Structures are given as C-alpha cells and as structure tokens.
Amino acid sequence: MSDSITVSGYTREEKYLSLLPQLKALAEEADQYAALGNIISAIKYGMGFFWVGLYVVKNNELVLGPFQGTVACTRIGFGKGVCGTAWKNKRTIIVEDVNSFEGHIACSSESKSEIVLPVFGKNGEVAMVLDVDSDLIADFTAVDETKFIEVVRIIESIINR
Ligand code: SME
C-alpha cells in the first residue's frame, strides 16, 4: 500500500529516491552525533513518518538515542518489545498492527505500525536498532525494508569508521 500513497505530491518511492543521496551527504559530517541527528531528522521530515529514532545498545539494554517525534521510552530490555526482539533475533521486524504484537511497548497511542532494523557494529554485534513508526496500520512493506536496509548501511558507515 505504501507505493501508491502520495504525500505532498510525491510517491513514497520518489521520497526514498530523494532521501538516500541526502543521507549519504549528511554522513560525511565527521562528528558521529551531528551526522546521526541530521540523518534521523532527514528521514522523519523527508518521509513524513510519525516517529523515527535509534536505540543504542548500552550495558545490555537499549537506550534512546537520536530521534524525531514525540517523547519516547528511554530504556528497552533485551528481547523486550519490537526493538528488543529485533536486537535479540538480529533481524528486521515489520509489525503491521502494533496491537497484535505481543509485548509491544507503546510509547504513543498514535503509533499503529512499525519497522525495526538492527544496526551492526564492527564485530557483527547489534550496536543499535533503527525504529520507524507510522500512525497508519500496515504502513510498511518489503519495499520499505529494502530501502531502510540501505539507510542502515549508511548509519553503519558512520558508527564503524
Ligand atoms: N514500540 C517500540 C518501542 C519504541 S517506540 O515505538 C518509540 C517497541 O515495542 O519496542
């Protein structure tokens, strides 16, 4: 369903096409925090999703990192919620309806569907997860996953240099 939706006159595919080169340019900033902050902002405002952010693995839990959107949960345990499960399984999770994901952590009642992808560190460990939430049910498909894998590779290039 995502490909046919147009917001501000652009299809989602067109938005991804415009977003990815922007993210590569923003990744050239040498400071990791400056680069990651701008990248999250570019995704949020370029794509129009409800909430976009990184949770960072610190002392065996996920801690809220750079994000754009409403105030969010700050700490998530290993295997907890969608984010903790993506971390544990080292795999992307697409949740079509957050109410049907057992253990989903609701930071906002506006969030209806989400995609969470692991971001890998130098040694193949999960260093962060990228969490993107939509206020529409079933807003993410395999097309979004393919594009967000490219986004994650850009984030990995920043944190592993
Ligand atoms: N829904 C996530 C928690 C993070 S917020 O959506 C920003 C989860 O279940 O892990």
Side-chain angles (χ1 to χ4, degrees), residues 55-57 60-64 74-76 83-84 87 129:
Y55 279 92
V56 183
V57 176
N60 213 36
E61 64 182 347
L62 291 170
V63 182
L64 183 63
T74 53
R75 291 169 191 271
I76 298 174
C83 292
W87 173 22
V129 299

Side-chain angles (χ1 to χ4, degrees), residues 95-143:
V95 179
E96 291 199 343
D97 178 353
V98 295
N99 291 320
S100 63
F101 187 96
E102 205 185 321
H104 169 259
I105 299 164
C107 296
S108 166
S109 58
E110 299 279 304
S111 178
K112 301 285 192 269
S113 61
E114 65 181 273
I115 180 169
V116 179
L117 301 97
V119 178
F120 295 99
K122 276 195 178 102
N123 302 315
E125 78 286 8
V126 176
M128 303 176 172
V129 299
L130 173 64
D131 180 3
V132 183
D133 292 15
S134 171
D135 54 7
L136 302 173
I137 294 264
D139 202 17
F140 301 103
T141 68
V143 174

Side-chain angles (χ1 to χ4, degrees), residues 4-79:
S4 60
I5 291 174
T6 58
V7 180
S8 335
Y10 295 98
T11 65
R12 185 169 292 183
E13 182 68 23
E14 285 168 339
K15 289 193 211 173
Y16 280 124
L17 278 175
S18 148
L19 178 72
L20 286 162
Q22 278 184 61
L23 299 190
K24 284 176 190 156
L26 292 170
E28 285 172 20
E29 161 57 49
D31 185 273
Q32 178 175 315
Y33 297 107
L36 291 176
N38 267 340
I39 278 177
I40 296 303
S41 179
I43 301 169
K44 164 84 171 96
Y45 292 99
M47 300 302 299
F49 292 123
F50 174 72
W51 194 94
V52 181
L54 290 164
Y55 279 92
V56 183
V57 176
K58 285 184 188 170
N59 301 322
N60 213 36
E61 64 182 347
L62 291 170
V63 182
L64 183 63
F67 76 98
Q68 290 280 335
T70 51
V71 169
C73 332
T74 53
R75 291 169 191 271
I76 298 174
F78 185 69

